[in-house]
Amino acid sequence: EIVLTQSPATLSLSPGERATLSCRASQSVSRYLAWYQQKPGQAPRLLIYDASNRATGIPARFSGSGSVTDFTLTISSLEPEDFAVYYCQQRGNWPLTFGQGTKVEIK
Amino acid sequence: EVQLLESGGGLEQPGGSLRLSCAASGFTFSSHAIGWVRQAPGKGLEWVSVISGSGSSTNHADSVKGRFTISRDNSKNTLYLQMNSLRAEDTAVYYCAKGVADRYYFDFWGQGTLVTVSS
């Protein structure tokens, strides 16, 4: 099983700041990685798939990069609605796996 | 508009069974993989099961393999999860999630149905 390790566990930032979230895979997943956002009481929302492709309707301030084992989600300038938990997910190998999440909180 | 509506959750005793359903609309159901992802209270996301658009291919997490079975009825635009031999650790909100075409990412999610396994 591919283990996805997200860091940091919590990121404390102010609106307008840049957020950089990391996801590291225990073995290669090529570029088969996605990022999701989840707010309290809501279902997750797909942000990025295949490492760098924004999903439909996702603002340009969200961007993804990386390949093989190291991936990054960047939020260029945090909006108030971006404070949430972010998960990465790989589809490079069975079973599908998620990271444990990074919480982006207001500083 | 894509809609996914889960049903069938509830309280069940350890060792019991439940069948979850997910009614889909707003997209060509048979053209998309679709699956179940669960979230235990206060915890992260855990993939459970996924099925291809045609239904010919299925995969399950090791934690549920041999106990849970995913299936779909493309004539009814409905996804199912038969859950047998339930355990306390199966307690979670179960989300139905639509795949991105034939890729196993999930671009639309239902609101979830809560399954509680307790005596």
Side-chain angles (χ1 to χ4, degrees):
Chain A
E1 171 175 320
I2 293 178
V3 176
L4 298 178
T5 303
Q6 293 187 238
S7 61
T10 304
L11 197 51
S12 298
L13 294 169
S14 300
E17 289 193 294
R18 182 184 189 90
T20 304
L21 287 67
S22 173
C23 177
R24 177 163 291 178
S26 59
Q27 57 186 282
S28 175
V29 298
S30 184
R31 290 180 58 83
Y32 299 137
L33 190 106
W35 291 93
Y36 299 85
Q37 176 194 69
Q38 187 179 32
K39 298 179 182 178
Q42 295 185 16
R45 176 173 71 145
L46 177 67
L47 301 174
I48 301 287
Y49 65 94
D50 286 346
S52 61
N53 296 313
R54 267 190 304 275
T56 302
I58 301 304
R61 65 181 180 273
F62 291 93
S63 63
S65 63
S67 63
V68 188
T69 60
D70 289 293
F71 300 87
T72 301
L73 173 70
T74 301
I75 311 172
S76 59
S77 178
L78 282 164
E79 297 288 338
E81 62 267 28
D82 299 336
F83 292 92
V85 179
Y86 293 82
Y87 296 95
C88 55
Q89 177 236 322
Q90 65 82 24
R91 70 169 187 99
N93 280 285
W94 297 104
L96 305 180
T97 51
F98 287 90
Q100 83 280 14
T102 289
K103 181 179 182 181
V104 179
E105 65 176 23
I106 299 176
K107 187 174 182 180
Chain B
E1 179 191 5
V2 174
Q3 291 193 350
L4 299 170
L5 184 61
E6 302 98 336
S7 60
L11 175 63
E12 183 57 64
Q13 294 186 340
S17 297
L18 282 174
R19 189 195 199 200
L20 305 185
S21 299
C22 173
S25 61
F27 64 101
T28 304
F29 187 67
S30 60
S31 294
H32 293 263
I34 192 165
W36 296 95
V37 177
R38 69 185 180 184
Q39 188 168 35
K43 302 297 184 182
L45 302 172
E46 180 188 15
W47 167 70
V48 175
S49 303
V50 71
I51 187 168
S52 62
S54 66
S56 62
S57 177
T58 63
N59 279 280
H60 299 270
D62 286 346
S63 58
V64 306
K65 203 170 288 184
R67 301 188 298 122
F68 291 10
T69 302
I70 190 171
S71 62
R72 65 191 296 163
D73 185 336
N74 286 348
S75 68
K76 295 182 178 179
N77 287 1
T78 302
L79 173 72
Y80 304 100
L81 186 68
Q82 179 65 44
M83 310 165 66
N84 299 330
S85 303
L86 284 163
R87 305 169 179 167
E89 55 264 36
D90 296 320
T91 295
V93 173
Y94 284 72
Y95 293 102
C96 167
K98 168 185 166 288
V100 177
D102 59 347
R103 303 171 189 171
Y104 295 116
Y105 305 122
F106 304 109
D107 61 351
F108 284 95
W109 299 59
Q111 282 308 298
T113 186
L114 177 62
V115 171
T116 302
V117 184
S118 174
S119 55

